[in-house]
Amino acid sequence: MSVPQAKNQSLRLIVTLAVTCVLAGGILAAVYGWMNPLIEAQRLAAALSQGFGPIFPDGENYKELELAALPQGVEGPVYEIADGSGNVLGIGFVGASQGFGGPVRMAIGVDPKTQTLVGVRVLEHTETPGLGSPIEELSFLQQLEGKSLSDPFRIGNDVQGLTGATVSSRAVFDGASTMARAVLAEIGLEVAGADMPAGLDEIFPNAAAVTELAVTALPDGVEGPVYEVTDGSGKVLGIGFIGSSAGFGGPVRMAIGVDPNTQTLVGVRVLEHSETPGLGSPIEELSFLEQLEDKALSDPFQIGVDVQGLTAATVSSKAVFDGASKMGRAVLAELGYEVKVAEAAEPAAAPAPAGPEYADAIFEIVGGDASLTAADLWEVRQGDDLIGVATVVTVQGYGGPMDVLAVVDPKAQSLVGVRVLKEKETPGLGSRVKEPGFLGQFVGKTLTDSFKVGDDVDGITMATISAQAVSDAAKQAIELIAQLYAGS
Amino acid sequence: MANFKDSWNQFGEGMWRQTPPLFTALGLCPSLAVTTAAINGLVMGLSTTAVLLGTALVTLAIRNIVPREVRIPVYTVVIATLVTVVDLLLSGLVPDVHAVLGLFIPLIVVNCIILGRVEVAFTRLNVSSSIADALGYGLGFTWALTVIGAIREIFAGGTVFGFRVLAEGATAWQIFRTPPGAFFTMGLIVAFIQMLRMRAAKGRSRETARKETVQAA
C-alpha cells in the first residue's frame, strides 16, 4: 500500500465517524425537540392531577411565583394556587428528598398564612415494595395535613413512621418539612422556632417549641444558638445547645440540656465523634450518658469519684464529662444565672496523651497520672520515675490476629496489666478474653510464671485457644521488656 | 422461494432455537432487572425488537460504505442513537411504561444481543434474512421475557398482566420479585423446554430405529 492511499484511508475513517456522529446528534436533537414539551407537560400534569389536585381540591388558578433561588430539592416552579374566585389557597411545589432506594419525589402544599402543611402526595419513589412503598398511601400521608411547620417532625414524637421503613418515612417527613420551610423562607416568611436541633428533642421529650436566646458571647466550644425549650403549654423545660469538646480522636459534638433553676444537667446526647471504635465509641450510648441526667453542675465530674468512665477510654469519657459540665456552667453564666461551682469542681488537667494510639488504655492500666515517651515501646513515667513500659503484641487467636497491650514494670519485672485491644474471637466465647475478670489474673505475674492455661492461668470455658493466645502475648511482652531493661 | 426458506430459517434461530436469554445467555441484565411483571417483559422485549429492527435497517443501508476498521464505533453510535430515540418516545408517549422501564431502556445500548447480531447477521446476510434475524431475535427475546415476567408475577402476587389468576395470598413469595427469583424462573423454563426437546429427540430416534427394524425385517 502506497503512502497517499494510507492517507486517504485514514481520512475516510475520520470522515465516516464524523458524519455518523453529526447525523446521530441531529436526529437526537430533533426527537428531543419533538418530545420534550410532551414530557414536561406530562410531569406537570402528573403533579397537578396526583399532587396539587388532591391537595387543593378547589384550586383552579396556578400562578408561578418568582423565586430568587430554588431551595435544595425543590424542582420548581413554585405555584400560588387560588380557587375560582381568586382566594389564595396556598403554595404548591414539587420537590424530592433522598429515600432508602432513591429520591422520593412529592407534591407539597403549604399554607403561608398559618405556616402549616396543607398536604403532601408522593409522586414517584423507588422504596422497597411492601416496606417503604406505603409512604405513597393516604393513610400515611394524612397525618401531615394541617401540621404546623414549627413542629419537630420527629418519628415517634409528633409523626408516626412506618414499621421497618424509618429511612423512607423520614424522607417524607424531613423532606416535606424542610422544603416547605425553605420555600416559605424564600418568599420572605421565616418559620419561627422551626428546627429543633438534633438530640435536644430526645433530652426534652415533651418539648414543643424552641426560642433562640440572646447571648452576648458564645462560651468556648458552644456552637450556638442557645435555645430555651418549652412544652406545649409554654412552660420552660430548660436550656438546650450544641457544643463540642476535644476527645481522643477529634472533637466530640453533643447536644446538652441544662435546667437553669436547679442548675443540673437535664441530659446529654453525643451527636458526632471520631473516638476509637469499641473503646471510646460507647460514649454515645445511653447507658453511659444516663449518669449525667439530673446531675448537679456543681459536682466535680471526676472519673472514679462522681462519674464512671469507660474502660480504656479515659480521654473520650473526660471529653463528655468536662465538655458537658464546663459548657453547661458557661452557658448558664452567660445567661446571668449564678452558677455555684463547688471547690473541687475543676478536676486536675489530664496529662496530654503523647504519641501512642493506645494512650487511653495505658493510662487506664497505670491509673491516671503519667507521661508517655513514644517509641516502639512506650515508657510510662510518673515525674522522673519509670513506672512501666507498654507494648502491643500481636498473636494469633482462634478467629484471627489479636492485639494485646501489656504494661510491664521493668524494675520488678512483673506485669502491671494487660488489655485486649483488637480481637476477632467468637462473640460470647473467645471474646470474653476482654473481661476484667480474665485479664486481672495477669497483674503481678513475673517471668518465672508459666503462663499456661490450666496451669497458672485460669482459662475460659470453650475458649482455651483465645485464652492461651492472650497469655502467650503477655508472656512475650514481659520477656521482651525484661530483656531490654535487664540492666535497670 | 429459497430466499423465503432461508429467511424463515433465520427467523427461527432467534425465535426458538437460540432464544435469548434462555438458550443464548445474552441480555441477562435487563432480563433479571425488569421482568418482575409480564407487562414489563413484554414492553422491554418490544423496545429491544424495535431497536434491533432499526439497527438492522440502518446497518443494511450503510454496511457497504462503513470501513471495516471503524464499524464497531459507528454501529455503537447507531444503536445508542436508536435507544435514546426509543427512550424519548416512550417517555413522551407512554409515560406510565417509561416510569417502570426508564432505568433499563438505556441498558439496551449495552445489550450484547444487538451488537452481536450486527456482527454476526446484519453485516453478512442478505436483506430479507437480516430483517428476519432481527425480528426472530427480537420477538424471541420478547416472549422469553414475557414468560419469565408472567411466572414471577404469579409467584410473587398471583396476577398476570395485572389480572388476578390465583386467590389473594395464595402466592406471595417476595423472592420472585428479586433478581434471584428471575434466575430460578429462567432455570425452570430452560429445564422444562430441554425436557420437551429431549423427549422429542428420543421419540425421533425411536421412530428411526423402528423404521430400520422394519426395513431389516
Side-chain angles (χ1 to χ4, degrees):
Chain A
M1 189 187 269
S2 68
V3 176
Q5 263 175 332
K7 229 183 204 168
N8 273 342
Q9 178 64 7
S10 32
L11 196 67
R12 199 175 147 226
L13 300 185
I14 292 166
V15 168
T16 313
L17 276 176
V19 169
T20 311
C21 291
V22 167
L23 281 179
I27 291 169
L28 284 180
V31 177
Y32 181 80
W34 174 34
M35 282 295 141
N36 197 42
L38 281 177
I39 296 169
E40 287 295 311
Q42 259 145 12
R43 294 195 82 171
L44 182 61
L48 293 182
S49 66
Q50 298 156 30
F52 301 143
I55 296 173
F56 299 102
D58 299 329
E60 275 177 34
N61 298 317
Y62 288 75
K63 192 181 105 194
E64 256 183 59
L65 290 179
E66 298 278 333
L67 293 192
L70 282 179
Q72 207 194 348
V74 178
E75 269 175 30
V78 174
Y79 296 101
E80 188 178 73
I81 299 166
D83 66 8
S85 46
N87 299 319
V88 174
L89 300 168
I91 288 172
F93 61 93
V94 173
S97 62
Q98 189 56 36
F100 182 71
V104 175
R105 200 166 157 260
M106 47 199 160
I108 298 162
V110 201
D111 185 337
K113 285 191 288 284
T114 57
Q115 305 206 331
T116 54
L117 284 175
V118 180
V120 175
R121 290 294 181 280
V122 174
L123 303 174
E124 285 164 45
H125 70 86
T126 47
E127 303 307 280
T128 320
L131 281 175
S133 64
I135 53 167
E136 65 191 15
E137 284 170 17
L138 266 190
S139 53
F140 172 75
L141 294 170
Q142 258 159 357
Q143 58 179 314
L144 297 175
E145 285 172 18
K147 192 161 175 54
S148 168
L149 285 172
S150 55
D151 287 347
F153 286 80
R154 296 294 286 203
I155 292 176
N157 183 352
D158 63 329
V159 283
Q160 291 303 314
L162 293 166
T163 311
T166 313
V167 176
S168 311
S169 314
R170 203 171 273 167
V172 175
F173 298 145
D174 292 359
S177 58
T178 47
M179 284 190 283
R181 286 175 197 142
V183 165
L184 286 191
E186 198 59 49
I187 58 173
L189 294 165
E190 203 76 47
V191 180
D195 263 319
M196 171 90 57
L200 287 185
D201 55 326
E202 285 181 38
I203 297 171
F204 299 101
N206 296 323
V210 290
T211 325
E212 248 179 68
L213 290 176
V215 281
T216 46
L218 284 175
D220 254 4
V222 179
E223 271 173 31
V226 175
Y227 297 100
E228 187 175 68
V229 185
T230 46
D231 68 4
S233 61
K235 187 174 151 249
V236 176
L237 298 169
I239 288 171
F241 60 93
I242 310 282
S244 306
S245 62
F248 181 67
V252 176
R253 191 163 169 265
M254 45 199 160
I256 300 163
V258 288
D259 185 332
N261 300 319
T262 57
Q263 305 205 336
T264 54
L265 283 174
V266 180
V268 175
R269 290 292 181 278
V270 173
L271 305 173
E272 283 160 44
H273 70 83
S274 35
E275 304 307 282
T276 320
L279 285 172
S281 67
I283 54 166
E284 67 191 13
E285 283 170 17
L286 273 189
S287 52
F288 171 74
L289 294 170
E290 263 167 1
Q291 58 180 314
L292 296 176
E293 281 173 21
D294 299 328
K295 191 162 174 55
L297 283 169
S298 56
D299 286 346
F301 286 82
Q302 213 152 17
I303 293 178
V305 179
D306 64 332
V307 282
Q308 291 303 312
L310 292 165
T311 310
T314 315
V315 176
S316 310
S317 313
K318 262 181 177 307
V320 175
F321 298 143
D322 292 359
S325 58
K326 280 181 189 158
M327 285 190 281
R329 287 172 200 143
V331 164
L332 286 190
E334 195 61 46
L335 293 172
Y337 294 92
E338 192 196 339
V339 192
K340 293 167 295 223
V341 181
E343 279 294 305
E346 288 300 315
E357 191 188 342
Y358 302 121
D360 270 3
I362 297 173
F363 288 139
E364 172 79 20
I365 292 171
V366 299
D369 283 338
S371 61
L372 293 175
T373 323
D376 287 343
L377 300 168
W378 299 300
E379 295 188 335
V380 192
R381 287 177 196 278
Q382 206 147 32
D384 287 338
D385 280 353
L386 179 65
I387 58 165
V389 179
T391 188
V392 174
V393 179
T394 305
V395 283
Q396 189 62 30
Y398 178 72
M402 205 193 275
D403 283 354
V404 179
L405 170 74
V407 180
V408 177
D409 181 342
K411 290 194 202 81
Q413 303 214 327
S414 66
L415 277 165
V416 183
V418 175
R419 292 288 183 277
V420 177
L421 301 172
K422 282 183 203 149
E423 45 87 24
K424 293 178 181 164
E425 305 307 283
T426 321
L429 290 172
S431 69
R432 295 180 57 203
V433 294
K434 287 190 294 194
E435 290 179 3
F438 172 73
L439 294 172
Q441 60 183 325
F442 292 103
V443 177
K445 278 212 181 303
T446 65
L447 270 179
T448 54
D449 288 313
S450 75
F451 286 91
K452 279 213 175 71
V453 170
D455 183 6
D456 62 341
V457 174
D458 285 339
I460 294 167
T461 314
M462 304 278 292
T464 313
I465 295 176
S466 311
Q468 186 61 55
V470 175
S471 190
D472 288 348
K475 190 179 182 195
Q476 278 178 37
I478 195 171
E479 278 173 357
L480 173 76
I481 291 165
Q483 201 185 338
L484 287 173
Y485 288 82
S488 65
Chain B
M1 203 57 215
N3 201 350
F4 174 78
K5 208 178 164 193
D6 283 352
S7 303
W8 179 249
N9 221 359
Q10 198 61 42
F11 178 76
E13 183 175 323
M15 193 61 189
W16 43 80
R17 283 194 301 278
Q18 297 290 329
T19 311
L22 300 176
F23 305 111
T24 307
L26 293 178
L28 280 171
C29 183
S31 318
L32 300 187
V34 298
T35 55
T36 49
I39 182 72
N40 297 354
L42 183 68
V43 176
M44 181 77 192
L46 291 178
S47 311
T48 310
T49 309
V51 173
L52 261 173
L53 199 58
T55 310
L57 295 175
V58 175
T59 308
L60 289 170
I62 63 173
R63 64 181 179 183
N64 290 330
I65 54 171
V66 173
R68 254 192 76 74
E69 292 88 338
V70 292
R71 69 187 193 287
I72 300 285
V74 167
Y75 293 131
T76 307
V77 170
V78 167
I79 296 167
T81 308
L82 285 169
V83 168
T84 314
V85 167
V86 168
D87 189 31
L88 286 169
L89 290 178
L90 280 181
S91 117
L93 303 176
V94 275
D96 293 348
V97 173
H98 186 265
V100 181
L101 296 179
L103 267 178
F104 305 107
I105 294 287
L107 289 179
I108 300 178
V109 179
V110 289
N111 191 327
C112 28
I113 296 171
I114 297 169
L115 202 55
R117 292 333 289 166
V118 169
E119 276 290 278
V120 176
F122 306 155
T123 48
R124 289 157 204 243
L125 302 176
N126 63 34
V127 172
S128 57
S129 289
S130 293
I131 292 171
D133 185 90
L135 286 173
Y137 270 88
L139 295 176
F141 191 56
T142 306
W143 78 250
L145 291 197
T146 310
V147 169
I148 296 174
I151 292 175
R152 290 177 68 182
E153 205 181 332
I154 290 176
F155 284 147
T159 59
V160 173
F161 285 107
F163 296 110
R164 186 149 289 288
V165 291
L166 292 177
E168 183 99 38
T171 49
W173 302 319
Q174 284 295 325
I175 192 165
F176 278 94
R177 271 195 225 283
T178 61
F183 271 119
F184 294 152
T185 313
M186 218 177 94
L188 289 174
I189 297 172
V190 172
F192 180 71
I193 295 179
Q194 278 305 107
M195 190 183 79
L196 294 184
R197 283 182 177 176
M198 285 169 82
R199 282 227 179 124
K202 224 184 202 170
R204 264 201 305 280
S205 59
R206 257 197 222 128
E207 187 76 0
T208 335
R210 197 176 57 82
K211 273 186 191 152
E212 277 165 5
T213 330
V214 171
Q215 275 169 5

